[in-house]
């Protein structure tokens, strides 16, 4: 493939050199002869050559805006060569010659500007549009062109001796405005090249940018020599490249070609040669699925199968997948060998089934262990309930037996009242146990509800009750259990002769205090202990006080 590309490139270079050599020969014949036909042929050769170059740019450049700018550059070069030919072949009056000479600066100003726009467009998506601020370059270029074309009115670009009717492009000097125009062109040229190099992402491309730079440097040196008058008739440079229009145009085209060949400007050159040795089986067809191009390793595929791949990829029997994508004027199709992937996928499917079976077994084992743990936890809580309320359960069983054996209605009513009070205690005590299993702290509301239900049942039994709880915070479960058990023990001792009771629970100075005031003939001194104090006043009213520090309860 590389040899074919090399042969094609050599052929193009030979044709270009031959055309330039023929044009140079025509120039020499035109200089020594009297026939203008050689000058016309020379101009036509260059015009035709630059037209062909512009057409190839439209076919090669990928980025749409860069393509338009480079095509415009080719058109400006053709325009430059054309007006140069008209100036030397057709124009007769000094004014016409001078105006055609001024018009040289239309391409001379716009070509560097378009080169800068080309550089700014590179590296962008195909449909990218430059921002509006770049339109200032158009404004500046148009002003520069108007400045040159109106030189006869102000002579700020070129100065001429003698009368205006005799002004000639062979006898003039540069004014200050010329250097402004030349500086603008030079800045655009330098800006274009610097932008082009800075945007390049090709590995080691900065080492190869010397090739596009050489024509630019040669152009600058040539222009400086031409402006300074060093290139005059009789010198070797004048005989070889005395025509500034053609020389600058060729160097401009050469610089852009070097940029394309070095990869600084993206093109689709040699895509056909690159497709054939491609290791991916690929086909390019027209809209009717007639094969136009294919890689050497591509297989023959029926048209019906290619049409099926239009909507979605098609799996072939050989384990290959045919995919399709729409392109301009047809379709591109390619094959992916998925045989190894299919084999791996089958193994993964088997492994998935095995893992699913293992997962199901693990889930069943987990459920079994979870049920066992739930049963064990439930048994533990039930054991705790049975252990902590065994005394009250025994009392309740005893009351139940007495209730069943008794025939006295008054006694049965009292026994039933006691059973209701003990039952309310057991219900609320068990509820507090369940809450304490979830949290070490019990809310004030739960404490209040526990005492409220017990006092409500006491009032049904005939005991006058009062309840006052002021905490405004949660209470350690240990303290709640102890307070509730203390109150229940007091009831159990005095229920037969208890007439009134008042409960007050407070928190002062970090100490939980429960004060139970009871009117009863029972001696409560048996309740005295570490946290409980029972005292009887002169009126026979008992105060049972429970005190415990909050921090010790938490510990």
């Amino acid at each position: 493939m590389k040899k074919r590309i090399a042969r094609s490139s050599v052929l193009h270079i030979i044709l270009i050199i031959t055309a330039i050599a023929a044009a140079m020969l025509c120039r020499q014949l035109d200089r020594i002869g009297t026939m203008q036909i050689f000058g016309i042929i020379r101009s036509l050769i260059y015009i035709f050559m630059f037209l062909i170059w512009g057409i190839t740019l439209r076919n090669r450049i990928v980025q749409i805006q860069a393509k338009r700018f480079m095509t415009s550059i080719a058109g400006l070069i053709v325009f430059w060569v054309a007006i140069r030919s008209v100036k030397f072949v057709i124009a007769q009056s000094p004014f016409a010659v001078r105006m055609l000479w001024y018009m040289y600066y239309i391409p001379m100003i716009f070509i560097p500007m378009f080169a800068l726009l080309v550089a700014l467009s590179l590296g962008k998506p195909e449909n990218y549009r430059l921002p509006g601020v770049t339109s200032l370059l158009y404004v500046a270029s148009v002003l520069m062109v108007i400045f040159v074309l109106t030189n006869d009115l102000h002579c700020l670009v070129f100065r001429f001796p003698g009368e205006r009717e005799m002004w000639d492009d062979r006898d003039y000097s540069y004014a200050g405005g010329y250097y402004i125009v030349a500086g603008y062109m030079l800045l655009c040229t330098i800006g274009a090249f610097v932008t082009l190099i800075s945007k390049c992402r090709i590995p080691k491309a900065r080492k190869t940018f010397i090739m596009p730079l050489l024509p630019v440097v040669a152009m600058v040196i040539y222009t400086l020599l031409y402006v300074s008058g060093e290139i005059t008739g009789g010198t070797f440079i004048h005989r070889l490249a005395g025509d500034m229009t053609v020389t600058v145009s060729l160097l401009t085209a050469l610089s852009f070609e070097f940029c394309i060949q070095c990869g600084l400007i993206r093109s689709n050159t040699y895509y056909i040669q690159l497709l054939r040795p491609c290791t991916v089986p690929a086909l390019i067809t027209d809209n009717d699925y007639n094969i136009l191009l294919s890689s050497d390793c591509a297989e023959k595929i029926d048209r019906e199968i290619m049409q099926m791949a239009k909507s979605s990829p098609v799996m072939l029997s050989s384990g290959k997948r045919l995919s399709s994508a729409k392109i301009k004027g047809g379709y591109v199709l390619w094959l992916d060998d998925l045989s190894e992937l299919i084999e791996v996928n089958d193994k993964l499917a088997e492994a998935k089934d095995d893992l699913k079976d293992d997962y199901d077994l693990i889930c069943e084992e987990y459920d079994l262990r979870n049920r066992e743990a739930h049963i064990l936890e439930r048994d533990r809580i039930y054991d705790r309930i049975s252990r902590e309320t065994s005394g009250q359960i025994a009392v309740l069983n005893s009351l139940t037996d007495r209730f069943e054996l008794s025939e006295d209605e008054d006694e049965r009513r009292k026994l039933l009242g006691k059973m209701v009070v003990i039952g309310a205690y057991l219900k609320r005590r068990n509820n507090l146990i369940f809450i304490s299993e979830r949290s070490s702290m019990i809310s004030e509301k739960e404490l209040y509800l526990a005492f409220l239900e017990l006092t409500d049942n006491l009032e049904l039994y005939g005991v006058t009750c009062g309840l006052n709880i002021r905490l405004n915070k949660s209470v350690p479960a240990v303290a709640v259990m102890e307070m509730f058990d203390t109150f229940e023990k007091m009831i159990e001792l005095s229920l037969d002769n208890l007439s009134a009771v008042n409960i007050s629970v407070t928190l002062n100075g970090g100490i939980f205090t429960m004060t139970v005031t009871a009117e009863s003939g029972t001696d409560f001194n048996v309740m005295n202990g570490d946290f409980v104090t029972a005292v009887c006043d002169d009126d026979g009213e008992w105060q049972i006080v429970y005190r415990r520090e909050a921090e010790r309860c938490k510990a």
Side-chain angles (χ1 to χ4, degrees):
M1 183 197 72
K2 292 183 178 179
K3 292 182 179 179
R4 289 198 297 269
I5 294 176
R7 285 198 298 269
S8 177
S9 299
V10 170
L11 179 60
H12 292 161
I13 293 173
I14 291 174
L15 290 175
I16 293 171
I17 293 176
T18 302
I20 294 175
M24 293 178 67
L25 178 61
C26 289
R27 180 172 183 268
Q28 298 303 322
L29 293 175
D30 181 58
R31 287 170 58 84
I32 63 177
T34 58
M35 298 178 63
Q36 292 184 341
I37 187 65
F38 293 110
I40 296 174
I41 293 174
R42 172 175 173 266
S43 298
L44 291 176
I45 290 174
Y46 283 124
I47 289 174
F48 180 75
M49 187 169 64
F50 288 121
L51 278 174
I52 295 297
W53 182 62
I55 293 172
T56 62
L57 289 176
R58 291 190 63 84
N59 295 329
R60 289 184 293 163
I61 305 304
V62 176
Q63 215 274 346
I64 295 177
Q65 211 165 46
K67 179 192 301 184
R68 292 174 180 171
F69 294 145
M70 293 187 68
T71 306
S72 300
I73 291 173
L76 287 169
I77 292 176
V78 171
F79 171 76
W80 195 359
V81 175
I83 61 173
R84 180 251 175 222
S85 301
V86 172
K87 173 177 176 289
F88 284 101
V89 176
I90 299 176
Q92 298 295 328
S93 68
F95 175 76
V97 171
R98 194 168 62 252
M99 293 308 298
L100 289 170
W101 177 51
Y102 289 161
M103 291 173 68
Y104 283 9
Y105 283 85
I106 297 176
M108 289 174 65
I109 291 172
F110 275 97
I111 286 175
M113 184 206 74
F114 279 125
L116 178 57
L117 295 179
V118 168
L120 293 174
S121 301
L122 297 179
K124 303 295 183 181
E126 290 189 15
N127 296 319
Y128 173 77
R129 293 292 180 270
L130 290 174
V133 69
T134 55
S135 59
L136 295 176
L137 290 173
Y138 288 96
V139 175
S141 298
V142 170
L143 292 177
M144 293 291 177
V145 169
I146 295 174
F147 187 45
V148 175
L149 294 179
T150 58
N151 182 71
D152 282 3
L153 302 177
H154 49 71
C155 292
L156 295 177
V157 182
F158 304 105
R159 295 194 184 99
F160 302 93
E163 298 294 332
R164 175 175 296 187
E165 290 75 10
M166 302 303 297
W167 287 356
D168 190 270
D169 64 327
R170 288 171 292 184
D171 187 11
Y172 65 91
S173 61
Y174 297 111
Y178 173 81
Y179 298 102
I180 296 175
V181 176
Y184 174 75
M185 293 187 292
L186 182 61
L187 284 176
C188 287
T189 303
I190 295 174
F193 203 78
V194 171
T195 304
L196 194 66
I197 298 302
S198 64
K199 284 191 172 186
C200 180
R201 295 296 180 267
I202 301 175
K204 300 181 180 179
R206 286 176 173 80
K207 296 181 180 179
T208 62
F209 78 89
I210 189 67
M211 292 298 294
L213 183 60
L214 288 176
V216 176
V217 174
M219 190 189 314
V220 173
I221 295 174
Y222 177 85
T223 303
L224 293 176
L225 292 174
Y226 193 92
V227 171
S228 63
E230 295 296 328
I231 302 178
T232 57
T235 63
F236 172 76
I237 297 179
H238 184 268
R239 288 195 299 271
L240 181 66
D243 191 337
M244 181 182 183
T245 299
V246 172
T247 303
V248 173
S249 298
L250 288 174
L251 290 174
T252 300
L254 184 61
S255 179
F256 278 109
E257 275 301 317
F258 279 153
C259 288
I260 294 173
Q261 298 302 322
C262 293
L264 296 176
I265 298 178
R266 291 169 53 200
S267 69
N268 57 8
T269 308
Y270 306 126
Y271 276 16
I272 296 176
Q273 292 89 333
L274 288 171
L275 177 63
R276 293 190 61 185
C278 179
T279 57
V280 177
L283 303 168
I284 296 178
T285 70
D286 58 16
N287 288 322
D288 296 325
Y289 290 95
N290 296 312
I291 298 176
L292 303 178
L293 296 171
S294 66
S295 58
D296 293 337
C297 59
E299 302 176 5
K300 185 177 180 181
I301 303 173
D302 294 337
R303 181 176 299 180
E304 292 76 11
I305 297 178
M306 289 192 290
Q307 291 174 344
M308 291 170 59
K310 178 180 179 180
S311 56
S312 62
V314 177
M315 288 300 302
L316 305 181
S317 57
S318 58
K320 296 181 179 180
R321 182 181 63 188
L322 178 64
S323 302
S324 173
K326 186 73 174 70
I327 59 176
K328 184 178 180 180
Y331 299 90
V332 58
L333 300 100
W334 66 96
L335 287 172
D336 296 310
D337 189 356
L338 304 181
S339 55
E340 294 183 2
L341 185 61
I342 292 174
E343 183 180 353
V344 172
N345 192 46
D346 292 339
K347 292 181 179 179
L348 288 175
E350 294 178 3
K352 179 182 177 182
D353 293 337
D354 295 339
L355 289 174
K356 187 177 183 304
D357 294 339
D358 294 341
Y359 173 76
D360 292 339
L361 290 174
I362 292 173
C363 288
E364 291 178 2
E365 183 179 355
Y366 172 78
D367 291 339
L368 179 60
R369 290 183 178 180
N370 190 39
R371 287 195 297 270
E372 290 177 352
H374 181 73
I375 292 172
L376 291 174
E377 180 67 11
R378 184 182 61 186
D379 292 344
R380 185 188 66 80
I381 295 175
Y382 286 164
D383 289 343
R384 178 185 172 186
I385 292 173
S386 177
R387 183 175 62 254
E388 295 184 9
T389 61
S390 58
Q392 287 74 25
I393 292 174
V395 171
L396 185 61
N397 290 334
S398 175
L399 292 173
T400 303
D401 293 339
R402 290 172 57 189
F403 179 81
E404 292 177 352
L405 295 174
S406 177
E407 296 180 357
D408 187 350
E409 288 299 325
D410 292 336
E411 184 180 3
R412 286 170 64 88
R413 189 178 298 108
K414 287 184 178 181
L415 291 173
L416 182 60
K418 291 181 180 181
M419 291 166 60
V420 170
V421 172
I422 299 299
Y425 164 78
L426 289 173
K427 172 190 172 185
R428 280 297 170 178
R429 185 62 165 77
N430 294 340
N431 183 60
L432 293 175
I433 290 175
F434 283 118
I435 295 174
S436 66
E437 288 292 328
R438 296 193 300 268
S439 173
S440 61
M441 303 295 289
I442 296 177
S443 67
E444 178 186 357
K445 181 179 179 181
E446 288 294 339
L447 176 63
Y448 176 79
L449 292 175
F451 277 100
L452 180 63
E453 185 168 351
L454 196 53
T455 54
D456 285 346
N457 284 280
L458 282 173
E459 288 183 342
L460 291 176
Y461 189 74
V463 179
T464 302
C465 298
L467 179 62
N468 182 25
I469 297 178
R470 297 189 305 274
L471 296 175
N472 297 322
K473 64 181 298 184
S474 298
V475 185
V478 174
V480 172
M481 302 289 188
E482 290 178 349
M483 286 188 286
F484 202 57
D485 289 346
T486 300
F487 182 59
E488 188 278 334
K489 186 176 181 181
M490 186 275 297
I491 293 173
E492 190 176 333
L493 290 173
S494 61
L495 189 56
D496 289 332
N497 54 23
L498 182 64
S499 59
V501 65
N502 182 70
I503 306 102
S504 174
V505 181
T506 59
L507 174 62
N508 293 315
I511 298 176
F512 289 108
T513 302
M514 181 186 72
T515 303
V516 180
T517 304
E519 294 181 3
S520 173
T522 304
D523 185 0
F524 292 110
N525 285 316
V526 295
M527 296 183 63
N528 287 317
D530 294 336
F531 308 112
V532 180
T533 303
V535 178
C536 182
D537 59 15
D538 296 337
D539 297 330
E541 189 175 78
W542 286 88
Q543 279 194 346
I544 299 94
V545 180
Y546 166 89
R547 289 188 180 88
R548 190 161 187 184
E549 294 181 6
E551 293 300 325
R552 291 189 178 182
C553 292
K554 293 180 181 179

